Amino acid sequence: NLNLRMNRVGVEGVQALAAALATNRALTQLNFGSSSIDDEGAKLLAAALEKSNTLTELDLTSNKIGAEGAKTLAAALEKNCTLAGLNLDRNWIRIEGAEALAAALERNRTFTKLSLKSNMIGAEGAKALAAALETNSTLTEL
């Protein structure tokens, strides 16, 4: 478990840690809450998630991740088969990001927990997530 909450690691810090995460075979939980991560940082983490086979929980609460960052994370979820939980509370995901994450939920079969509190996903984002729940049989917390 690596907790880097409230450390303002930013893009440079994420870049270094994402490179390590791609090859690390022990870390299961990573907390980047309140760490000044934006869409660029989310893209770096998404690339690492595509290679990681040990990380099960990723907390990105209270950052600056928008729809573009959510889209890249969603694409990584379609390929990653170990991540079970993703916390994106208090970011800027919006409708587009929620729709991308919903599409990933339709394909991913290991994901059990997704948190999107305070992301302005609106009714359309909620509808996309509801539709994903019709086919997803592993998600237990939303």
Side-chain angles (χ1 to χ4, degrees):
N1 184 358
L2 180 58
N3 189 341
L4 296 172
R5 185 170 183 77
M6 299 181 77
N7 273 296
R8 293 181 156 190
V9 295
V11 174
E12 285 184 43
V14 169
Q15 187 171 22
L17 288 159
L21 181 61
T23 59
N24 182 281
R25 299 292 174 243
L27 188 66
T28 59
Q29 297 178 350
L30 180 57
N31 186 336
F32 269 127
S34 301
S35 294
S36 301
I37 297 172
D38 58 10
D39 286 341
E40 185 61 32
K43 288 176 188 176
L44 293 167
L45 285 171
L49 283 176
E50 289 181 9
K51 298 173 186 163
S52 173
N53 63 4
T54 57
L55 197 67
T56 59
E57 298 282 333
L58 179 59
D59 187 339
L60 296 170
T61 304
S62 299
N63 280 291
K64 300 171 186 173
I65 299 169
E68 292 305 311
K71 287 179 190 178
T72 57
L73 288 167
L77 289 179
E78 291 183 23
K79 298 173 184 167
N80 181 291
C81 59
T82 58
L83 194 70
L86 177 62
N87 188 336
L88 287 166
D89 290 350
R90 294 182 298 279
N91 277 282
W92 303 334
I93 303 302
R94 303 190 191 269
I95 296 167
E96 258 186 273
E99 289 172 339
L101 290 164
L105 288 177
E106 291 176 2
R107 294 175 191 86
N108 184 295
R109 297 293 175 238
T110 57
F111 213 62
T112 60
K113 183 171 73 172
L114 176 63
S115 189
L116 295 172
K117 180 174 46 177
S118 298
N119 269 291
M120 296 180 282
I121 66 166
E124 293 305 311
K127 287 178 188 177
L129 291 165
L133 291 177
E134 292 179 15
T135 58
N136 181 292
S137 60
T138 58
L139 197 69
T140 59
E141 286 184 53
L142 178 61

Coordinates of all heavy atoms in Angstrom, one line a residue, residues 15 23 32 42 60 64 82 109 115 137:
Q15 N 4.6 10.7 -13.5 CA 5.4 10.1 -14.6 C 6.4 9.1 -14.0 O 6.5 7.9 -14.5 CB 6.1 11.1 -15.4 CG 6.8 10.6 -16.6 CD 7.3 11.7 -17.5 OE1 7.5 12.9 -17.0 NE2 7.6 11.4 -18.7
T23 N 6.1 -1.9 -13.9 CA 7.0 -3.0 -13.7 C 6.9 -3.6 -12.3 O 7.4 -4.7 -12.1 CB 8.5 -2.7 -14.0 OG1 8.9 -1.6 -13.1 CG2 8.6 -2.3 -15.4
F32 N -3.5 8.4 -4.6 CA -3.1 9.7 -5.2 C -4.1 10.8 -4.9 O -4.2 11.7 -5.6 CB -2.9 9.6 -6.7 CG -1.5 9.1 -7.1 CD1 -1.4 8.1 -8.0 CD2 -0.4 9.8 -6.8 CE1 -0.1 7.7 -8.5 CE2 0.9 9.5 -7.2 CZ 1.0 8.4 -8.1
A42 N -3.5 11.5 -15.6 CA -4.4 10.3 -15.7 C -4.0 9.4 -16.9 O -4.0 8.2 -16.8 CB -5.8 10.8 -15.9
L60 N -8.0 8.2 -6.8 CA -7.7 9.5 -7.4 C -8.6 10.6 -7.0 O -8.9 11.6 -7.7 CB -7.7 9.3 -9.0 CG -6.7 8.4 -9.5 CD1 -6.9 8.1 -11.0 CD2 -5.3 8.9 -9.3
K64 N -7.8 16.9 -10.5 CA -8.3 17.7 -11.6 C -8.5 16.9 -12.9 O -8.2 17.4 -14.0 CB -7.3 18.9 -11.9 CG -7.1 19.8 -10.7 CD -5.9 20.7 -10.9 CE -5.7 21.5 -9.6 NZ -4.5 22.3 -9.7
T82 N -6.8 -6.8 -13.2 CA -6.6 -6.9 -11.7 C -7.2 -5.8 -10.9 O -7.5 -6.0 -9.8 CB -5.1 -7.0 -11.4 OG1 -4.4 -5.9 -11.9 CG2 -4.4 -8.3 -11.9
R109 N -14.5 -7.5 -16.4 CA -15.1 -8.5 -15.6 C -14.5 -8.7 -14.2 O -14.8 -9.6 -13.5 CB -15.2 -9.9 -16.3 CG -16.0 -9.8 -17.6 CD -17.5 -9.6 -17.2 NE -18.3 -9.5 -18.4 CZ -19.0 -8.4 -18.7 NH1 -19.1 -7.4 -17.8 NH2 -19.7 -8.3 -19.8
S115 N -16.3 4.8 -7.8 CA -16.9 5.9 -7.0 C -16.7 7.2 -7.9 O -15.6 7.5 -8.2 CB -16.3 6.0 -5.7 OG -17.0 7.0 -4.9
S137 N -21.7 -7.9 -14.3 CA -22.2 -8.8 -13.2 C -21.2 -8.7 -12.1 O -21.3 -9.5 -11.1 CB -22.4 -10.2 -13.7 OG -21.1 -10.7 -14.3

